[in-house]
Amino acid sequence: MDLGIAGKKAIICASSKGLGKACALSLSKEGVEVFINGRNEATVLSTVDEIKKLTGNKVHGVVADITTEEGRKLLLSACPDADILVTNNAGPTPGKFLDWGREDYLQAFESNMLAPVLMIRGVLAGMQERKFGRIINITSAMVKSPLSHQGLSTSARTALTAVCKAISRDVSVDNVTINNLLPERIDTGRQIQMTERQAKIDNISFDEARAKIALGIAAKRFGTTEEFGDICAYLCSKQASFISGQNIQVDGGSYRGIV
């Protein structure tokens, strides 16, 4: 399927590795000019080179921390006429409710709510004027299925979800869509960290912990980054213009609810 986005420009936040990188690669394969972002220059440049070699399309690297005003300005100035924005950022470390104080919540909201909202604010008017825009927020399955050890992530990302739902109703008339991807158990570096945490809690080996986690997934396997990236690319397509304000589970069928 031709997604109709060749030649478009995309900013993908926190995309030098993991889920952001997967989205950047899938978009680049569709002919989109992508702007890679990360805080580590070596990692960013490596990812730029890798995607260029794989797709042969234009790829740019921007070293910036999107949790800062300076970093957001730098990224937005590198691509002031973005047609696509994928927001993403590392999630807070899991923990216990009674251990979190005010500063922990402020940091979580700075990274996982305010940073994406302010990036959206920076591109939205231009998208509306050009009558094309695709905004994808990479959030978390915890938005719809909260667990106490992910309370920081849940609170910030649920707030982002609410803001974007409200905005989506205002901008759909301009062919600007805003959707959220809710990953769970996609095989990235984040899952290595979570598996190591589980192994420590249960006092078992890493491989045993990984097998235990996989059994808890309806598909009995981890999701691939390629699967995740391609879902993102489709939501950015011309064909997806009638899909907006949605929370799309990417979890191997594990979510137990019906809405």
Side-chain angles (χ1 to χ4, degrees):
M1 181 186 292
D2 180 358
L3 298 185
I5 51 177
K8 300 291 187 185
K9 296 180 180 179
I11 295 173
I12 305 97
C13 301
S15 51
S16 62
K17 55 186 177 180
L19 298 178
K21 178 181 177 180
C23 294
L25 177 56
S26 290
L27 287 168
S28 184
K29 286 179 179 178
E30 295 298 324
V32 176
E33 182 177 351
V34 299
F35 290 76
I36 303 296
N37 161 245
R39 290 176 292 181
N40 183 285
E41 183 176 13
T43 307
V44 169
L45 294 177
S46 175
T47 299
V48 167
D49 288 342
E50 181 183 348
I51 294 178
K52 277 183 179 179
K53 289 175 182 176
L54 289 170
T55 69
N57 292 317
K58 291 182 180 179
V59 184
H60 311 273
V62 182
V63 180
D65 181 355
I66 63 166
T67 63
T68 68
E69 187 65 26
E70 180 183 3
R72 290 188 290 271
K73 285 182 178 179
L74 188 63
L75 185 51
L76 289 167
S77 65
C79 183
D81 54 348
D83 304 292
I84 295 166
L85 171 67
V86 180
T87 76
N88 182 39
N89 215 351
T93 302
K96 297 179 180 179
F97 174 72
L98 293 179
D99 291 338
W100 297 324
R102 182 174 183 274
E103 291 303 315
D104 297 302
Y105 283 99
L106 289 176
Q107 185 176 352
F109 272 76
E110 190 74 61
S111 297
N112 299 122
M113 189 275 185
L114 290 176
V117 163
L118 293 172
M119 286 296 299
I120 292 169
R121 185 173 182 267
V123 301
L124 195 60
M127 289 179 173
Q128 289 181 271
E129 184 178 342
R130 293 187 297 275
K131 302 302 178 185
F132 183 93
R134 299 289 184 265
I135 297 169
I136 309 294
N137 300 303
I138 300 176
T139 62
S140 168
M142 298 299 106
V143 168
K144 292 178 73 172
S145 303
L147 294 173
S148 61
H149 71 282
Q150 292 280 17
L152 293 175
S153 174
T154 299
S155 56
R157 285 171 164 153
T158 302
L160 171 64
T161 302
V163 171
C164 288
K165 179 63 176 180
I167 298 170
S168 70
R169 293 180 56 83
D170 295 336
V171 300
S172 185
V173 67
D174 297 314
N175 190 29
V176 177
T177 66
I178 307 177
N179 290 294
N180 307 305
L181 284 176
L182 281 56
E184 186 171 26
R185 305 307 186 192
I186 310 298
D187 212 358
T188 64
R190 172 76 166 175
Q191 286 307 312
I192 293 175
Q193 295 172 2
M194 298 301 288
T195 303
E196 289 173 341
R197 178 177 182 273
Q198 192 65 52
K200 185 176 181 180
I201 290 172
D202 293 343
N203 194 28
I204 56 178
S205 71
F206 178 89
D207 289 342
E208 289 171 325
R210 183 176 171 86
K212 179 179 179 179
I213 292 170
L215 285 175
I217 303 168
K220 306 304 179 190
R221 67 173 178 88
F222 287 80
T224 70
T225 55
E226 291 82 6
E227 289 170 323
F228 187 87
D230 287 349
I231 294 168
C232 178
Y234 177 75
L235 289 174
C236 295
S237 72
K238 176 180 67 177
Q239 291 89 338
S241 62
F242 212 56
I243 303 171
S244 193
Q246 302 304 306
N247 293 294
I248 298 168
Q249 308 281 144
V250 189
D251 64 357
S254 296
Y255 177 60
R256 295 180 180 274
I258 59 174
V259 292

